[in-house]
Structures are given as structure tokens and as C-alpha cells.
Amino acid sequence: MKTEDERLADSFLKAQIKEIPDEGFSRKVMRRIPNRANRYNRWWQIFCTAVFVILFTLLNGFGVAWQLLKHGYEMPHAISFTPHTLMLTAALVAVGCWHLYQETKA
Amino acid sequence: MFKLNQLDDLTLWTKIVVGHDDRAFEKLIQKYQGDVRRFFLHQTLGDEMLSDDLAQETFIKVYTHIGSFRNLANFKTWLYRIAYNVFYDHTRSQKTAVDLDSAEVMSQTSVQRDTTISTDIYQALQQLSPPERTCVTLNVMEDLPTAKIAVVTGMPEGTVKSHISRGKTKLANYLRKNGYEDRR
């Protein structure tokens, strides 16, 4: 059984209940979700790795690596730095840096 | 026995946890944003900007912890518990707020009022101590029974009942003093 005070307080409070429209609130929250940011990073990581693999294959990375292993140790001066090898090295360094950045962030 | 609303929560929960479905989480926010933002508006006495910040923080915590949530019949209680903890942490982090029981905490801060809702409600709620305000608003405006308010706030159920009773008496006295009874 409700007292008069309870009835008065309840009727006042219930009359004040208002629906609050979303007005972009849920979108704002979705933009701040941490896992979502990580997921974008993961896609970027996959993209970088794919670029590296494609470049490595197109620019005969295996051949270059083999030549480096075969002769590089004995005659480092014999290795010529063509634009291809430079691009390959740059791609390798970029992917390596990205992974390092991700590791330190985690 | 699950109610229809709880089944809907269960479906969304499964999509979020098992399917990693962001759209399902967005639907969950859309479903509960009104309740959570209203809860914060009442606790902050109408500070719209702060309420939205706290509500955002609440939903981010929900997202990061939803995998560990198991009691599927009580999603709303769990949500309010997170919201209450976010508010409690916020109040504690404020230098002026030494204690949640201090009734002056919110009245001292300059607030950007929500102009779409009558300020009467906030003036009336200002008469209550923060625990009374939390218990009364959860009980009357969010329709939570005392047992669930006890889970949300971590207070014994008897204490919740006392806060509700004292809070309503204070409110009734304030309303009578301001002629609310005559306006009904």
C-alpha cells in the first residue's frame, strides 16, 4: 500500500519521463569502439604484407636473396643496388617498421 | 523464462560475441541509449554534455566486456551496473567530490542543462542525496525493482528501500512546498 508521499513523488517523476532521441549518439559511440580501430589496423597490416609479397615476387626477390646468400658474404662489393633491389629493401623496411609500431602499441 | 525483449537481447548478444557483428552492437546502443542517457541526466542533474560522455564510456565498457557477460536474463541490470560504476568513478575522480554521499557535489558544478526537459525535475532531484537520487530514479523512472537496484548499486536491499522511502518523502515535501499538488 502506497503512502500519500509515495503517490505524489511517483506521479511527479513518471510525468517527467521523456524519450531521448538517438540523434547520432550511437554513431559517435561506434566511432570510439577500440576493437574497430584495431580491425582497421589489421586490414592495413594485411595490405602492407600483400604489397610486400607482390613486390618480392615481381622484383625477383628470391633470386636477389639467393645471390646475396651465395656471393654477398664473400664479395659484398659485387652486389649492385639496382632500383629493384632498393624498392625491395624499402618495402621490407616499411613492413618491418609497421610490425614494430604495432608491437610497441600493444 | 525469457521474455520477448530478453530474447531480442540474446539474439543481439550472440551476433556481437559469436559473429563479431558491429551492426548488432549499434542496434543494442540504439535500443538502450535513451535509458542510459536519461539515467546520467538524472544523476548529473541535467548536465547534457557530461551525461553523453558518461553514456559513451558506458557503452564502450559494455563492448569490451560483453564477452564475459553470462547472465543473459539480466542484461539491463548489468548495463545499469556498468553505468553506475562509470558515474561512481567519475564522481570519485572529481576533486570537489570527496564522497558520493555529499549532496553538494553536483550543485557546485556548472552544468549545461538539457533544455528539452523541464528543469523542475532537476530542481526536485537536487533535494535528494546522490544515493537517494540513484535509487529513486532507477525505481520510479527506469522501473527497476529494489532487488535489481541492490545489484546495480552494490547496496543491501534494505538500504535501497530506505533510500527510496526517504527520497520520496523529501520529494513529496518539496513538491508540496512548491505547489505541485495544486497543479495536478
Side-chain angles (χ1 to χ4, degrees), chain A residues 54-99:
Chain A
I54 292 165
L55 278 176
F56 196 81
T57 314
L58 283 179
L59 304 174
N60 189 27
F62 291 106
V64 173
W66 175 244
Q67 288 301 315
L68 193 71
L69 283 172
K70 204 171 165 189
H71 305 294
Y73 181 71
E74 296 161 3
M75 307 177 288
H77 58 278
I79 301 166
S80 59
F81 283 95
T82 62
H84 284 178
T85 53
L86 282 174
M87 276 176 75
L88 191 64
T89 313
L92 257 171
V93 170
V95 173
C97 286
W98 178 255
H99 278 279

Side-chain angles (χ1 to χ4, degrees), chain B:
Chain B
M1 191 72 184
F2 276 106
K3 291 176 189 164
L4 199 64
N5 197 34
Q6 290 167 338
L7 265 178
D8 187 35
D9 289 346
L10 179 66
T11 312
L12 289 174
W13 180 85
T14 311
K15 282 181 180 173
I16 297 162
V17 176
V18 182
H20 303 285
D21 185 348
D22 280 354
R23 264 177 296 178
F25 187 68
E26 197 170 351
K27 272 186 195 162
L28 198 79
I29 301 173
Q30 284 162 355
K31 185 175 173 187
Y32 288 110
Q33 60 85 23
D35 297 337
V36 174
R37 288 163 84 192
R38 190 170 49 234
F39 168 76
F40 283 122
L41 274 171
H42 294 147
Q43 309 316 308
T44 62
L45 299 172
D47 188 336
E48 201 177 2
M49 222 198 260
L50 176 61
S51 295
D52 276 9
D53 284 348
L54 296 174
Q56 280 191 36
E57 206 180 317
T58 301
F59 282 110
I60 287 166
K61 282 201 170 158
V62 167
Y63 187 83
T64 50
H65 293 95
I66 200 160
S68 59
F69 171 66
R70 289 287 175 268
N71 192 0
L72 296 169
N74 286 308
F75 179 77
K76 204 171 172 179
T77 311
W78 183 68
L79 179 64
Y80 278 124
R81 180 156 177 76
I82 292 179
Y84 177 79
N85 286 336
V86 166
F87 181 68
Y88 186 86
D89 289 345
H90 164 77
T91 314
R92 273 204 320 186
S93 72
Q94 298 298 299
K95 280 189 178 170
T96 46
V98 180
D99 187 353
L100 253 182
D101 285 359
S102 162
E104 290 169 70
V105 172
M106 286 307 160
S107 57
Q108 281 174 355
T109 51
S110 64
V111 294
Q112 186 195 334
R113 299 264 187 206
D114 172 14
T115 48
T116 59
I117 299 174
S118 162
T119 51
D120 280 359
I121 174 86
Y122 304 126
Q123 281 160 6
L125 288 175
Q126 207 169 351
Q127 312 307 309
L128 314 182
S129 70
E132 287 167 355
R133 197 182 302 143
T134 304
C135 294
V136 168
T137 52
L138 280 176
N139 181 238
V140 183
M141 304 182 93
E142 308 306 333
D143 220 15
L144 284 192
T146 51
K148 287 195 173 177
I149 298 172
V151 175
V152 169
T153 59
M155 297 175 198
E157 202 179 337
T159 311
V160 171
K161 282 180 184 168
S162 309
H163 282 315
I164 292 172
S165 169
R166 251 200 316 269
K168 283 183 179 177
T169 305
K170 277 189 195 176
L171 262 180
N173 290 338
Y174 171 82
L175 292 170
R176 279 193 200 100
K177 225 185 275 175
N178 287 277
Y180 178 75
E181 222 171 4
D182 304 334
R183 277 187 261 158
R184 280 201 296 169

